[in-house]
Amino acid sequence: MTGDRVAVSVALEMLLAGNRRFTAGTPEHPNQDAVRRAEVVPGQSPFAVLFGCSDSRLAAEIIFDRGLGDLFVVRTAGHVMGPEVLGSIEYGVSVLGSPLVVVLGHDSCGAVAAARAAVQGGAPATGYVRDVIERVTPSVLAARAAGCTEDADYIDTHLRHTVDLLIERSRVLADAVEAGSAAVLGLSYRLADGTARLVTARGLDG
Ligand SMILES: [Zn+2]
């Protein structure tokens, strides 16, 4: 870890402020120059771990208007997790000192749509795509059981499930949230206007 650890609330405000600049069309592109490049050579202390869907339309540093050394990014289709994802996120929090873990979902998510189609009896996917879809399926089944019909409700349910699952499976994250030294949030991104809406939070006021 290098530099001082920032507070959870400060980290969240940095992230949301960047998203406001992006949506307003007034990005500042901070930390993207040669000075910053040199500054972070000795080490990194990203203020947030971003665990998002791989979708090419939600590139992390662009939609949060940040630069080098700011975000520790882990992305998989449908933000599904396995041991490598958990290890990467834990590294960002426990070794690099990030106080914030953000799960980033979005509307029109192909992974969620594919899981919904599979649950409705569609043809199963092949190869490892099937593995991704199967990891989204519990969220889809839960949303369906709760009577959800809208895409947004499925996305929100999958975000809540992912945040809960992270804390359930990672003792490191659970302890950090419990100690008030980290928060795990779920943000839902809208492709059309670029906004990131808070859907769920664990440890935000800790
Ligand atoms: Zn997606």
Side-chain angles (χ1 to χ4, degrees):
M1 176 178 172
T2 62
D4 295 324
R5 186 189 187 99
V6 294
V8 170
S9 58
V10 172
L12 179 59
E13 183 45 36
M14 284 170 73
L15 204 63
L16 296 180
N19 182 245
R20 283 195 295 272
R21 293 194 300 273
F22 170 69
T23 56
T26 54
E28 293 172 0
H29 308 297
N31 296 337
Q32 295 185 16
D33 57 7
V35 171
R36 177 63 167 179
R37 190 175 69 230
E39 193 177 86
V40 293
V41 169
Q44 58 171 329
S45 52
F47 69 86
V49 173
L50 191 127
F51 172 38
C53 178
S54 298
D55 194 301
S56 60
R57 298 167 290 183
L58 43 147
E61 282 86 355
I62 295 177
I63 69 172
F64 291 108
D65 191 28
R66 299 306 316 185
L68 302 174
D70 289 334
L71 305 175
F72 192 78
V73 180
V74 185
R75 293 170 67 186
T76 62
H79 51 77
V80 298
M81 74 182 75
E84 301 90 341
V85 166
L86 286 161
S88 299
I89 293 172
E90 287 187 352
Y91 181 79
V93 171
S94 63
V95 179
L96 300 179
S98 279
L100 197 61
V101 176
V102 172
V103 180
L104 184 70
H106 65 102
D107 54 353
S108 305
C109 182
V112 172
R116 286 182 72 178
V119 163
Q120 286 159 6
T126 56
Y128 285 104
V129 173
R130 184 172 184 161
D131 186 73
V132 170
I133 291 170
E134 283 175 357
R135 291 188 201 201
V136 179
T137 298
S139 301
V140 166
L141 291 174
R144 216 160 87 126
C148 296
T149 54
E150 301 297 318
D151 178 56
D153 296 326
Y154 278 83
I155 301 300
D156 287 4
T157 300
H158 186 44
L159 267 171
R160 288 195 196 92
H161 272 225
T162 305
V163 167
D164 289 347
L165 196 59
L166 274 176
I167 294 172
E168 189 183 303
R169 292 191 59 188
S170 167
R171 175 48 45 195
V172 168
L173 288 183
D175 287 349
V177 166
E178 178 70 24
S181 61
V184 183
L185 316 180
L187 296 183
S188 181
Y189 180 79
R190 274 171 59 101
L191 296 178
D193 60 21
T195 54
R197 173 177 54 90
L198 183 65
V199 171
T200 183
R202 302 277 296 270
L204 197 50
D205 299 317

